[in-house]
Amino acid sequence: FYVNDMLVGLIALLILGLSRFYHAKKYRQEDLLAKSLGMKRMFSGTTAYRFIKIYGTLTMCRGLQKANACIKKNDWDSAAEIIVDGDPTTLRSYDNRKQGSCKGFNKLRPGLPCLQGIAYFANGDYVTTEVVAGNAVPLDSLELFTHLQNVRRLCGRIDWIRLDAGHTSALNLRRLDDFSRHGNSREKVNYIICIGSSGIGFSNAMATAHCRIWRHVKKGVFVQEVGCVQIFQEDRQPHRMILVKRYSEMKEQWTYYALVTNDNTQGCVGLYRFYHKRQTIESFFDEAKHSYWLEHLPCVKLYSNCLYFNLVGLAFNILALFRRDCLRRQDHRLELMTLQW
């Protein structure tokens, strides 16, 4: 089989609901499927596993990401803004045989082995995905900005970056202040990042919260403009902070967290709503785990699993294009499992 035939076939099988590679034997006799994909015949599960194992390299992952960028090029070039969302997720590995698998970071099942999956989306579409060692939360500034530079290279530019609390550190804030929209442009990117309840800035903001006005956003959610304050002990550079108060019905108590941004044009309510529009990437992780069987990573080698993750991302984008072009507007949010039924 040619490499491009294997990639097209694997993406098609993922959309059809392939949960394990050995289940590919069900499609061996599907001549009509093979013909519609431009293949002479379908491959076996053993062939699929061998292909992922051999071609699981950084070069192949980057090649898939470039192919996806070619598909999305017109959309990104014509977009008024490129808004990039980054988020990590925990991937259960079920045993310690997988490369990079570690114990202790799985929030749902503490102590069990896991890997970390990291995804970056631009305007609601997959750009890149990575698989890293289980305990390597994305606080590593060099790794984060290597990923962001790759995203910028694929998209052509970045206008906004929205990150969750896993990317919180003083060094990351300093580097985000210097990150350019284009390769060597002096124009800096806008960003908004959740810092959770960490840092000296959050502690000071909570101590003086009674002196400021809470603004109502929606039921159970209030925001407060803190102003430009020092966020971390290690970094004296002031940043704009927004304090968020949300009522948790599960815990039956108020929870607090902070957002930090370099944008001074929007109000605190508008920035809160803008930050929480990053739900597409959360939906992607949920669908990837339940519809694309992401947690059943097929290989031991880390880059082989990274290649599989990128195949899932490309399948997600292709299905999103199908929904937008072929389905009614009210059906654009249907998940893969619903469409399969």
Side-chain angles (χ1 to χ4, degrees):
F1 292 91
Y2 293 109
V3 172
N4 59 330
D5 287 343
M6 290 297 302
L7 292 173
V8 169
L10 284 170
I11 291 171
L13 292 184
L14 284 171
I15 293 174
L16 289 173
L18 184 70
S19 58
R20 300 284 198 285
F21 274 170
Y22 62 80
H23 290 169
K25 62 185 179 182
K26 297 189 300 183
Y27 304 94
R28 283 295 301 276
Q29 307 304 321
E30 294 288 347
D31 295 333
L32 184 60
L33 174 62
K35 186 177 180 180
S36 65
L37 296 174
M39 302 168 60
K40 293 181 179 179
R41 58 187 174 86
M42 294 301 294
F43 45 79
S44 66
T46 304
T47 304
Y49 176 78
R50 192 185 308 123
F51 172 81
I52 291 288
K53 183 179 179 180
I54 295 173
Y55 286 92
T57 62
L58 180 61
T59 302
M60 181 60 77
C61 294
R62 294 291 181 259
L64 268 182
Q65 293 162 8
K66 289 179 181 178
N68 174 70
C70 290
I71 297 173
K72 301 300 301 178
K73 178 175 172 55
N74 291 336
D75 291 338
W76 290 338
D77 288 347
S78 60
E81 287 184 320
I82 299 294
I83 303 171
V84 171
D85 299 320
D87 202 13
T89 187
T90 299
L91 304 175
R92 285 180 292 170
S93 59
Y94 295 97
D95 55 49
N96 278 323
R97 291 180 296 173
K98 296 189 187 301
Q99 183 182 1
S101 179
C102 301
K103 292 184 178 181
F105 193 68
N106 191 333
K107 295 179 181 178
L108 297 179
R109 294 170 177 81
L112 293 183
C114 63
L115 294 165
Q116 276 288 104
I118 305 172
Y120 294 90
F121 272 49
N123 292 1
D125 292 307
Y126 145 82
V127 183
T128 70
T129 53
E130 311 286 343
V131 177
V132 297
N135 283 330
V137 291
L139 290 174
D140 186 338
S141 187
L142 178 61
E143 182 178 327
L144 169 65
F145 284 90
T146 300
H147 294 166
L148 288 177
Q149 287 167 358
N150 184 38
V151 172
R152 184 176 60 189
R153 185 165 51 249
L154 292 169
C155 297
R157 74 183 196 279
I158 298 177
D159 298 300
W160 270 94
I161 297 175
R162 298 184 294 203
L163 301 173
D164 83 328
H167 300 88
T168 302
S169 72
L171 182 56
N172 279 355
L173 277 182
R174 286 199 297 268
R175 290 201 171 187
L176 280 171
D177 287 331
D178 296 330
F179 197 75
S180 302
R181 292 189 176 186
H182 307 275
N184 295 316
S185 171
R186 293 184 178 181
E187 192 176 7
K188 304 305 179 185
V189 71
N190 291 321
Y191 65 83
I192 182 166
I193 178 172
C194 176
I195 66 166
S197 56
S198 62
I200 188 175
F202 177 81
S203 301
N204 292 338
M206 287 296 297
T208 57
H210 63 280
C211 301
R212 294 181 295 270
I213 298 173
W214 288 102
R215 299 185 181 276
H216 181 258
V217 180
K218 59 182 181 179
K219 182 180 179 180
V221 178
F222 296 83
V223 296
Q224 185 182 93
E225 182 69 56
V226 178
C228 291
V229 297
Q230 180 182 348
I231 306 299
F232 295 104
Q233 187 74 40
E234 308 90 336
D235 183 15
R236 295 186 178 276
Q237 177 70 26
H239 293 84
R240 182 185 178 189
M241 175 185 283
I242 297 168
L243 196 61
V244 181
K245 177 172 71 170
R246 174 183 287 179
Y247 185 75
S248 172
E249 294 184 357
M250 182 179 296
K251 297 180 181 178
E252 296 185 344
Q253 63 183 20
W254 290 96
T255 58
Y256 298 83
Y257 62 92
L259 302 175
V260 173
T261 181
N262 64 343
D263 179 74
N264 294 314
T265 61
Q266 301 183 58
C268 56
V269 175
L271 282 169
Y272 169 86
R273 288 174 175 157
F274 174 72
Y275 176 79
H276 285 281
K277 287 181 180 178
R278 59 190 298 279
Q279 298 305 319
T280 302
I281 196 168
E282 303 286 355
S283 301
F284 165 71
F285 283 136
D286 184 63
E287 187 169 356
K289 290 180 179 181
H290 296 98
S291 299
Y292 293 95
W293 307 96
L294 178 61
E295 289 192 321
H296 297 284
L297 294 171
C299 298
V300 173
K301 196 167 69 169
L302 197 63
Y303 275 125
S304 295
N305 290 323
C306 186
L307 175 60
Y308 181 77
F309 197 3
N310 278 279
L311 286 170
V312 170
L314 194 49
F316 180 86
N317 269 12
I318 291 171
L319 192 66
L321 288 172
F322 167 76
R323 285 190 291 239
R324 293 169 195 167
D325 293 343
C326 302
L327 300 183
R328 300 171 301 173
R329 188 177 184 85
Q330 59 264 38
D331 296 331
H332 286 184
R333 294 185 178 275
L334 290 179
E335 292 191 359
L336 173 63
M337 197 170 288
T338 305
L339 293 173
Q340 287 170 348
W341 283 101

